[in-house]
């Protein structure tokens, strides 16, 4: 099983300026590469709290300072993007990184991009489906002939550059919508499941739906990869991890909750989410290894786990956590699913 990190380039406490924050993020990606992690993903948001509105640029900077780690999105908000430009950006990243680029395409958990780029939220699902199909058409064909509803047609158009990888990986990032799981299966695309709350085993029927749709569409089981994205943080001890993470986690999710009408985060709720079957991965290395393996078993086997640690804003603290993941978690997950 691969392990990686996803970041939204967040600075929730505004403790450092944007330039310094991005430089530190690149340092963390570089360390993740040196520590033997498999993947580093950058999200896409268009709001004040995050610096990831142009994720491919951040990843391109990281490509120049890394050698092995795969670099990609977490997620690309494809519904509000032009698939041609998305492909060109990540094909360029693939060339710069010597074949290490990936795309995780999704609709995003925030809707800021829709009014910003002039799209109608009523077209939420249709936009994503059409643009995903176009992105796949571009990846698989150098010359494209395509007609859709939301974008001008492409007739006999050649799209460059082409990536170094013969078939650059495109994952589908999903939440809890059954049709999204089924769509990914029908297309035979790897699945990245964002489980940021609740109990992981409750997503098993959706993963089964994905695999059944893939099998019916003629795809081999080996092609139907499953990844899991979860909020987490690794410390030397469980007490250290929880005491370091909880205050900033509460601050971040309380702010999001106020926007969406959710109640404030409670310590009891946090502890429940961080229990044996809860989605949170906050603790010391050995217990997190055990919990990741339980998550994998609950979902029928996963190929990749990515941790979202952005609630912690202290760069040195995050660097130590990445070192722990590389030294004490990644080796124990290698070869397991």
């Amino acid at each position: 099983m691969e392990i990686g990190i996803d970041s939204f380039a967040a600075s929730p406490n505004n403790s450092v300026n944007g330039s310094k924050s991005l430089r530190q993020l690149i340092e963390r990606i570089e360390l993740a590469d040196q520590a033997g992690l498999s993947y580093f993903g950058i999200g896409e948001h268009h709001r004040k709290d995050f610096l990831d509105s142009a994720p491919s640029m951040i990843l391109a900077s990281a490509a120049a300072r890394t050698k092995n780690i795969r670099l990609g999105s977490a997620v690309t908000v494809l519904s509000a993007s032009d698939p041609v430009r998305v492909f060109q950006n990540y094909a360029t990243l693939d060339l710069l990184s010597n074949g290490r680029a990936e795309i995780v395409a999704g609709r995003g958990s925030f809707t800021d991009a829709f009014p910003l780029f002039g799209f109608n939220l009523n077209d939420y699902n249709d936009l994503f489906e059409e643009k995903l199909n176009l992105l796949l058409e571009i990846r698989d064909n150098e010359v494209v002939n395509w007609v859709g509803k939301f974008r001008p047609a492409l007739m006999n158009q050649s799209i460059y550059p082409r990536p170094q990888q013969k078939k650059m990986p495109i994952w589908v990032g999903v939440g809890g919508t059954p049709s999204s799981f089924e769509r990914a299966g029908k297309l035979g695309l790897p699945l990245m499941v964002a489980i940021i709350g609740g109990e992981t085993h409750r997503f098993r029927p959706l993963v089964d739906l994905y695999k059944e749709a893939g099998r019916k569409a003629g795809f081999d089981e080996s092609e139907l990869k499953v990844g899991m994205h979860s909020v987490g943080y690794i410390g030397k001890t469980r007490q250290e991890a929880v005491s370091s993470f909880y205050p900033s986690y509460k601050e971040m999710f309380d702010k999001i909750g106020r926007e969406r009408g959710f109640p404030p985060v409670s310590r009891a709720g946090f502890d429940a989410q961080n229990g044996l079957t809860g989605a949170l991965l906050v603790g010391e290395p050995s217990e997190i290894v055990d919990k990741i393996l339980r998550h994998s078993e609950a979902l029928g086997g996963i190929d990749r786990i990515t941790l979202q640690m952005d609630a912690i804003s202290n760069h040195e603290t995050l660097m130590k956590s990445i070192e722990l993941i590389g030294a004490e978690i990644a080796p124990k997950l290698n070869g397991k699913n």
Side-chain angles (χ1 to χ4, degrees), residues 181-182 184-189 204-224 226 300:
F181 286 77
E182 188 173 18
K186 288 179 177 178
L187 294 171
L189 298 176
R204 176 64 180 269
L206 295 172
V207 173
D208 289 343
L209 176 64
Y210 158 72
K211 290 187 175 180
E212 180 62 22
R215 285 191 292 267
K216 287 182 177 179
F219 294 100
D220 188 83
E221 183 82 19
S222 63
E223 298 177 83
L224 303 174
V226 177

Side-chain angles (χ1 to χ4, degrees), residues 171-199:
W171 298 61
V172 176
V174 297
T177 306
S179 60
S180 297
F181 286 77
E182 188 173 18
R183 178 194 293 119
K186 288 179 177 178
L187 294 171
L189 298 176
L191 185 78
M192 178 56 69
V193 189
I195 306 179
I196 59 174
E199 296 179 306

Side-chain angles (χ1 to χ4, degrees), residues 124-193:
Y124 187 77
N125 187 63
D126 291 343
L127 277 164
F128 180 75
E129 185 168 6
E130 177 176 298
K131 292 187 175 189
L132 178 59
N133 288 332
L134 175 54
L135 182 62
L136 294 173
E137 182 74 14
I138 296 168
R139 180 193 65 175
D140 297 340
N141 299 281
E142 187 172 330
V143 180
V144 175
N145 288 280
W146 175 90
V147 177
K149 176 181 177 182
F150 298 103
R151 188 201 188 283
L154 294 167
M155 305 308 297
N156 200 34
Q157 290 290 323
S158 301
I159 297 174
Y160 302 107
R162 306 307 298 179
Q164 179 168 313
Q165 297 177 89
K166 184 176 180 180
K167 196 169 185 177
M168 186 168 59
I170 297 177
W171 298 61
V172 176
V174 297
T177 306
S179 60
S180 297
F181 286 77
E182 188 173 18
R183 178 194 293 119
K186 288 179 177 178
L187 294 171
L189 298 176
L191 185 78
M192 178 56 69
V193 189

Side-chain angles (χ1 to χ4, degrees), residues 195-204 228 230 238 269-281 287 290-299:
I195 306 179
I196 59 174
E199 296 179 306
T200 301
H201 67 270
R202 294 184 178 179
F203 285 77
R204 176 64 180 269
M228 176 181 168
S230 184
R238 178 179 177 82
F270 173 87
D271 289 340
Q273 292 292 308
N274 203 35
L276 289 176
T277 59
L280 291 179
L281 293 166
E287 70 169 316
D290 291 341
K291 191 170 185 180
I292 289 172
L293 293 176
R294 285 198 301 273
H295 283 334
S296 180
E297 182 178 2
L299 294 176

Side-chain angles (χ1 to χ4, degrees), residues 205-271:
L206 295 172
V207 173
D208 289 343
L209 176 64
Y210 158 72
K211 290 187 175 180
E212 180 62 22
R215 285 191 292 267
K216 287 182 177 179
F219 294 100
D220 188 83
E221 183 82 19
S222 63
E223 298 177 83
L224 303 174
K225 294 183 178 181
V226 177
M228 176 181 168
H229 160 101
S230 184
V231 175
Y233 170 71
I234 315 302
K236 288 186 177 180
T237 67
R238 178 179 177 82
Q239 181 178 358
E240 175 195 332
V242 171
S243 61
S244 296
F245 192 76
Y246 174 70
S248 50
Y249 170 87
K250 174 175 172 57
E251 180 180 352
M252 175 178 282
F253 280 86
D254 278 354
K255 183 175 181 179
I256 295 172
R258 286 193 294 271
E259 294 181 13
R260 302 181 179 185
F262 298 157
V265 173
S266 69
R267 179 57 189 266
F270 173 87
D271 289 340

